[in-house]
Amino acid sequence: MTGLDQRSDALTLPRGPLAGFATGSLGMGVWVTVPGLLLLYFLTDVLAVAPWLAGLTLLLPKIADVLLHPWIGHLCDVEQARRGHRRRLLLVGCALPLAFAALFAVPGGLTGAAAAGWVAVFFVAGNLLFAAYQVPYLATPADLRIGYHERTRLMAFRMVVLTLGILVSGLLAPLLVGGDDATRDGYLLMGVVLAAGMLAAMLVGVAGIGRLRRTAADAVAPHGPGGWRALTASLRDRQFRWLVGAYLAMSTTTHLVLAGVPYYAEYELGRPGLTTVLVAAFVAPALLVTPLWLTVARRIGKQRALLAAQAAFAAGSLVLAVGRPAGLPVLVAAVAVLGVAFAGMQLLPFSMLPDVIRAGGGAERAGTYTGVWTATEATGAALGPYAYALCLAGGGFVASTAGQSVTQSPAALDALRYGFGLLPAAVMVVAVLLQRRYTLDGAARADAAG
């Protein structure tokens, strides 16, 4: 860590600007959660899109993010160098709620491939707008004169509010679409209602970032646009590569689980209404345990705490692979374990990212680093549902329209259960192996203590 980081570790951000900054995550939480939770099911069981095509509909738009997010990151750094802030991109990103509402407003005559095309178009538009907001938003911690522990505190505020957004949208969305009797009109209503809330929260977030910058903005000298040189510099950063690789595995796993929840509730547990219960069990613990993860990180460091969270997630996933014979209370408890681990896997990597940026002397390239990071997150958000869709397709799962009853084969039921349990455990083991290669945390803690 630099001498600036050691001096600034004593700076404590006021709660007001912190709360404003964190509020922006409410809107982001809706976009992160609802498409991941309902979009695959919306395609296969409401719009009669075949599982393999539904998986591609979610995957291909996300592939574009691999290029779009670093490009947005570059624009973000140019904006910072020229204007001293990243506000214009944030305001452009506030158009995201329009794309979110359109995503579920599929015209009544469209089913199958035509409906998949509609969803894909607005998914691409939404991903681009989400990047315009998310990249400058997450670059904020690296722009501030704060140190190792205060970055964790800043992201803990963000994590609590993000969790609230995930929880509220994850509970409301299945109810608004009609619960066990979901309809197209229900999905349209859900899209409009949640879009309005997204817009309000994102605008508050823009104002909160402005207050944080006025309180503790770092003095970074203007520089020329970094372009591809800045991108390659971030990719040459060894610590960043291991951290972003582990986060790709974590993002893939969590989005896989979210995509599988409606199927697991309906076909394994026999009660579609349990989708809300499982989402609550997955997300609600984070509201309680995020302060605990903050305490644990202060005592043993972010790296050890993150490895513990990853191991807990893998263990809980294995229980879910047992399915109905384990009993509903045990399965809900296992999902709650995943939720506790999820809280750590959201807080800790995001607070380690600015550590990596500052340690590498790359604060002036924070947007580029963050663009690569958010591209990785978007890739995981695509790979997770796609991997689950492949499990369904491999088991012979039969797609249907809303209100149509289909009896799935034993092979399809096995595939959706193992895809919900064994596959997440396996991918999380990969995350652990990659995370163990990250070695910056010990030095960062030593500098903060010094």
Side-chain angles (χ1 to χ4, degrees):
M1 304 286 280
T2 67
L4 174 62
D5 285 321
Q6 293 179 46
R7 293 192 303 272
S8 61
D9 202 58
L11 178 61
T12 300
L13 297 171
R15 288 180 177 269
L18 277 176
F21 166 80
T23 300
S25 286
L26 277 174
M28 295 166 67
V30 176
W31 181 259
V32 167
T33 304
V34 176
L37 176 64
L38 294 181
L39 200 51
L40 181 60
Y41 185 85
F42 178 56
L43 288 166
T44 62
D45 283 46
V46 176
L47 303 179
V49 179
W52 68 268
L53 179 57
L56 285 178
T57 302
L58 303 185
L59 177 66
L60 293 179
K62 289 288 187 178
I63 291 177
D65 287 350
V66 176
L67 295 176
L68 287 177
H69 280 246
W71 176 65
I72 292 290
H74 166 63
L75 294 180
C76 185
D77 286 338
V78 171
E79 187 81 355
Q80 168 72 9
R82 291 178 178 174
R83 302 178 183 275
H85 59 76
R86 312 175 196 268
R87 190 179 307 116
R88 290 203 308 180
L89 274 176
L90 285 163
L91 292 173
V92 169
C94 287
L96 173 63
L98 296 176
F100 176 82
L103 193 62
F104 295 99
V106 180
L110 297 185
T111 58
W118 174 282
V119 171
V121 167
F122 285 102
F123 205 29
V124 170
N127 287 335
L128 179 58
L129 292 169
F130 181 66
Y133 191 91
Q134 186 191 35
V135 172
Y137 182 91
L138 292 178
T140 299
D143 289 338
L144 304 178
R145 301 188 322 274
I146 56 176
Y148 177 85
H149 293 302
E150 191 63 11
R151 291 180 199 125
T152 311
R153 177 172 173 262
L154 171 63
M155 299 314 288
F157 267 77
R158 181 239 179 198
M159 178 59 200
V160 169
V161 178
L162 175 65
T163 300
L164 185 62
I166 292 173
L167 180 61
V168 171
S169 62
L171 296 180
L172 278 181
L175 296 176
L176 290 172
V177 302
D180 294 352
D181 300 311
T183 63
R184 284 177 180 252
D185 289 341
Y187 277 94
L188 175 60
L189 173 65
M190 179 272 297
V192 172
V193 170
L194 293 185
M198 289 174 69
L199 178 59
M202 293 170 76
L203 289 173
V204 172
V206 174
I209 289 173
R211 293 179 65 192
L212 278 181
R213 293 182 65 90
R214 288 192 294 272
T215 301
D218 200 356
V220 177
H223 66 289
W228 290 109
R229 284 184 296 177
L231 176 61
T232 55
S234 69
L235 295 178
R236 285 197 302 267
D237 187 328
R238 179 177 176 274
Q239 301 294 338
F240 182 65
R241 288 202 310 271
W242 292 123
L243 183 62
V244 84
Y247 188 68
L248 173 61
M250 287 183 277
S251 178
T252 299
T253 306
T254 54
H255 284 92
L256 188 159
V257 169
L258 276 176
V261 164
Y263 298 93
Y264 196 79
E266 178 173 352
Y267 296 104
E268 178 62 24
L269 303 181
R271 295 167 57 186
L274 286 175
T275 296
T276 300
V277 176
L278 295 179
V279 170
F282 183 68
V283 178
L287 292 173
L288 302 175
V289 302
T290 295
L292 177 61
W293 281 118
L294 179 60
T295 301
V296 170
R298 282 183 173 273
R299 291 195 174 183
I300 67 174
K302 303 175 192 180
Q303 169 77 337
R304 292 180 182 177
L306 181 54
L307 289 171
Q310 293 167 339
F313 197 101
S317 298
L318 291 175
V319 175
L320 294 173
V322 176
R324 192 178 308 173
L328 183 59
V330 172
L331 295 176
V332 172
V335 173
V337 170
L338 264 60
V340 171
F342 172 73
M345 293 190 304
Q346 285 293 297
L347 169 63
L348 299 166
F350 279 89
S351 65
M352 295 162 90
L353 174 62
D355 291 343
V356 172
I357 295 172
R358 302 289 297 203
E364 72 278 4
R365 298 192 301 270
T368 302
Y369 272 82
T370 306
V372 175
W373 180 268
T374 57
T376 301
E377 183 178 33
T379 302
L383 289 178
Y386 183 65
Y388 195 73
L390 288 181
C391 287
L392 296 179
F397 184 88
V398 179
S400 60
T401 57
Q404 180 182 2
S405 179
V406 174
T407 301
Q408 303 293 346
S409 68
L413 297 177
D414 288 342
L416 72 88
R417 183 175 71 255
Y418 293 143
F420 193 67
L422 293 181
L423 185 56
V427 179
M428 193 54 68
V429 169
V430 174
V432 171
L433 294 176
L434 292 172
Q435 189 64 47
R436 285 174 59 86
R437 305 297 297 272
Y438 177 82
T439 59
L440 174 63
D441 197 60
R445 289 185 68 210
D447 280 343

